[in-house]
Amino acid sequence: MSQPLLEVQQVFKNFGGFAALSGVNIYVNPGERLGLIGPNGSGKTTMINCISGLLTPEKGKIIFEGNDITQMTPHHRARAGIMRTFQIPKPFNSMTVVENLCIPLEYAAEHKTSLSVAEEEARKILTLIGIEALGDLKPTGLTQVDMRKMELARSLAGRPKLLILDEVMAGLSGSEVDEILEILFKLNEQGITIIMIEHVMRAVLGFSKRISVLNTGLNIAEGTPDEILNNPEVEKVYLGE
Amino acid sequence: MKVLHDVSIEMTEGETVILLGTNGNGKSTLIKTIMGIVPPNQGEIIFESEGVQINLVGKKPQEIVNMGITMVPEGRRLFPQLTVEENLYLGAFRREARQNLERNLSYCFEVFPRLGERRTQLAGSMSGGEQQMLALARAIMSSPKILLIDEPSVGLAPILVSQLMTSIKEMKENLNLTVLMTEQNFSQATKIADRGYIIVHGKIEFRGSNVELSGNELVKQYYLGT
């Protein structure tokens, strides 16, 4: 078997006296769709902050394409192909949606692209996500949900090998969830490896090939969506009923 | 752009009403209009209290809060650099609420014990679910008669969504609240709602009881998915 695209090995992260991650292990294979679930406060976002470089773990290693990236800065990780979305998007509010996408597009192309090419690419990505009509608006005028779609578009503009989605389905209606899922399946078929953090069960169960479950900063289960659904501990701490 | 077009809804004291509709159809705008954050171009918003009818249009948000109408905004909008307790105190800004501050505070900690455990923690350092609890509790601190809740379950684990709905129901009954709520999780929302409206492109397209909503084609199309 080929090596994983990303491996998180025994990662620890504390905030003051609070242990957010206490020796977490996660891996994702090239081309895989991994779901990451767990109760609120279980460490999922801290985990991807460690993967994307916003946080540095106290202990443990993060390996991407065989290289130890534990100490690498976020922008170097982005250029290496790790892109992620944020739960609360923070776009450049004085720039249009298209201009917001041009920034990661130019960065991913190492500034060797012309602005007109970047803009054309940006509009293609917006069309893919279904928000092409918003291209020339400022982000401040967008609804929360369009903001989230723009956030997804921005992360795609960074040309990811590994795309990490932090609750992109939050607040979407059933039909909108289906639309986004279709796009994500398409991206995955094109070779993008995806980690999906999500509380919308229909989305994460339908999308993931494998699911990893965290609780209180520890791995508590891993398996196929069916195995996870029937895991008594996951039911107790996460699914309920 | 027309966001709301000739929308009429009403709520009777003690009711829980849900506002359905996919995103971008005007649900949040309607809530903001009731709160005085967005002024309507036309129309009236009548609040009846102790037999007196007051038109809310033209009133400032703080005046509307003072009458006993409070919203839980989408995206929580907490003060991230303040503690849980400080956020709650700020919820009790209006005079009537100050008189009931201690009672409301202990009630909030009773409904959401996690907030009590974390009362000195900074709001911004809590998880999404904990922040949602705090946003709801902060609204309760204002001693509202009417509570407008915009998308409460966003970002919550499944187990918490059902707990939250139960908490809203409990609070509603204990505090004699009237609740208007937008929510994408249709099956959870209808557990606690009395009836609802479907809003499509800024117009009310359907109104009915829970049972009528569940059988409605628009609901099947937008909410229940395939």
Side-chain angles (χ1 to χ4, degrees):
Chain A
M1 203 173 132
S2 62
Q3 67 172 3
L5 180 67
L6 175 87
E7 249 181 302
V8 171
Q9 300 173 344
Q10 281 295 314
V11 160
F12 287 75
K13 182 71 203 170
N14 300 328
F15 297 113
F18 177 69
L21 299 173
S22 309
V24 170
N25 295 296
I26 285 173
Y27 71 94
V28 58
N29 289 319
E32 207 183 5
R33 300 185 301 271
L34 175 72
L36 187 57
I37 63 173
N40 298 99
S42 60
K44 304 183 295 297
T45 297
T46 302
M47 184 72 262
I48 63 166
N49 283 342
C50 287
I51 296 173
S52 61
L54 282 184
L55 296 172
T56 309
E58 270 96 44
K59 255 168 64 183
K61 272 189 188 164
I62 295 165
I63 311 285
F64 184 66
E65 296 187 306
N67 304 313
D68 186 338
I69 60 162
T70 317
Q71 302 299 327
M72 201 188 258
T73 55
H75 60 285
H76 284 114
R77 296 188 204 204
R79 192 163 271 168
I82 301 176
M83 291 299 290
R84 51 85 56 97
T85 65
F86 288 87
Q87 286 181 22
I88 301 188
K90 296 212 169 105
F92 297 101
N93 282 325
S94 61
M95 302 170 87
T96 65
V97 170
V98 161
E99 286 166 343
N100 266 282
L101 262 64
C102 286
I103 296 168
L105 276 166
E106 286 198 40
Y107 186 73
E110 303 190 18
H111 305 289
K112 285 175 192 139
T113 180
S114 74
L115 192 55
S116 60
V117 172
E119 195 178 318
E120 202 179 304
E121 287 297 308
R123 291 194 193 275
K124 271 190 208 160
I125 293 171
L126 294 178
T127 306
L128 177 73
I129 309 291
I131 52 169
E132 62 275 16
L134 307 177
D136 298 315
L137 300 180
K138 299 274 168 67
T140 40
L142 303 187
T143 64
Q144 292 266 340
V145 169
D146 285 337
M147 275 276 219
R148 281 214 191 82
K149 289 183 179 170
M150 183 191 67
E151 182 72 1
L152 177 58
R154 280 214 299 176
S155 66
L156 288 178
R159 301 292 185 220
K161 290 176 192 162
L162 172 64
L163 177 62
I164 307 173
L165 306 168
D166 197 359
E167 296 192 28
V168 289
M169 304 291 186
L172 300 189
S173 72
S175 54
E176 289 167 322
V177 167
D178 291 340
E179 275 168 40
I180 299 285
L181 277 181
E182 201 179 311
I183 296 164
L184 295 178
F185 273 115
K186 222 186 287 173
L187 293 170
N188 182 244
E189 273 165 29
Q190 290 168 12
I192 300 179
T193 306
I194 298 179
I195 299 179
M196 177 188 276
I197 293 186
E198 199 53 71
H199 289 306
V200 176
M201 281 299 101
R202 200 160 58 83
V204 75
L205 293 173
F207 184 74
S208 309
K209 276 209 271 197
R210 184 163 58 88
I211 294 178
S212 218
V213 190
L214 297 186
N215 187 33
T216 62
L218 295 162
N219 297 92
I220 61 160
E222 194 202 86
T224 64
D226 272 347
E227 288 165 355
I228 294 301
L229 262 184
N230 295 311
N231 181 309
E233 196 180 354
V234 176
E235 184 177 330
K236 185 167 148 261
V237 303
Y238 183 69
L239 297 168
E241 294 178 11
Chain B
M1 189 173 143
K2 268 188 188 167
V3 180
L4 294 175
H5 189 81
D6 198 14
V7 167
S8 297
I9 66 165
E10 82 269 326
M11 289 158 58
T12 313
E13 193 176 346
E15 267 191 317
T16 300
V17 176
I18 43 172
L19 207 50
L20 303 170
T22 45
N23 293 292
N25 276 307
K27 303 186 304 293
S28 296
T29 303
L30 182 56
I31 286 189
K32 286 180 192 159
T33 308
I34 298 172
M35 286 310 299
I37 299 168
V38 175
N41 299 98
Q42 261 184 63
E44 290 184 322
I45 298 162
I46 306 296
F47 174 53
E48 190 177 308
S49 175
E50 288 150 17
V52 184
Q53 293 198 339
I54 308 161
N55 187 355
L56 300 184
V57 174
K59 297 240 184 291
K60 298 190 182 83
Q62 63 270 32
E63 294 172 330
I64 293 170
V65 171
N66 267 332
M67 291 177 202
I69 305 175
T70 300
M71 81 183 282
V72 182
E74 188 181 16
R76 299 149 199 164
R77 300 293 190 100
L78 299 167
F79 300 99
Q81 301 296 333
L82 299 184
T83 64
V84 167
E85 200 164 25
E86 286 165 337
N87 269 277
L88 290 172
Y89 277 123
L90 283 171
F93 186 76
R94 78 180 187 111
R95 184 176 297 146
E96 273 182 53
R98 288 178 201 211
Q99 291 163 0
N100 301 321
L101 198 144
E102 290 308 322
R103 192 200 65 194
N104 286 340
L105 195 66
S106 55
Y107 182 71
C108 286
F109 290 155
E110 189 189 313
V111 179
F112 301 112
R114 179 68 68 88
L115 296 181
E117 292 160 21
R118 309 226 160 163
R119 58 204 292 168
T120 59
Q121 192 174 327
L122 296 187
S125 72
M126 295 201 301
S127 75
E130 290 159 353
Q131 291 191 24
Q132 188 63 54
M133 294 176 198
L134 179 54
L136 197 58
R138 180 181 59 178
I140 291 298
M141 291 299 291
S142 73
S143 285
K145 298 185 183 102
I146 299 179
L147 194 56
L148 311 173
I149 314 175
D150 203 1
E151 306 280 353
S153 81
V154 169
L156 298 194
I159 193 167
L160 272 185
V161 176
S162 53
Q163 283 170 12
L164 186 77
M165 292 298 156
T166 312
S167 304
I168 292 174
K169 187 166 192 257
E170 261 176 42
M171 292 191 303
K172 187 215 127 174
E173 282 160 8
N174 290 338
L175 305 173
N176 194 25
L177 296 173
T178 306
V179 176
L180 178 65
M181 178 170 82
T182 71
E183 176 56 58
Q184 298 292 352
N185 193 329
F186 179 78
S187 53
Q188 290 289 345
T190 45
K191 277 188 194 164
I192 65 165
D194 299 306
R195 59 187 185 84
Y197 296 90
I198 303 173
I199 182 163
V200 180
H201 299 311
K203 287 185 177 172
I204 300 290
E205 289 290 343
F206 186 80
R207 51 183 296 169
S209 67
N210 274 348
V211 178
E212 288 165 335
L213 285 170
S214 299
N216 183 275
E217 280 305 315
L218 286 171
V219 168
K220 283 184 191 159
Q221 186 185 335
Y222 292 135
Y223 281 92
L224 304 178
T226 44

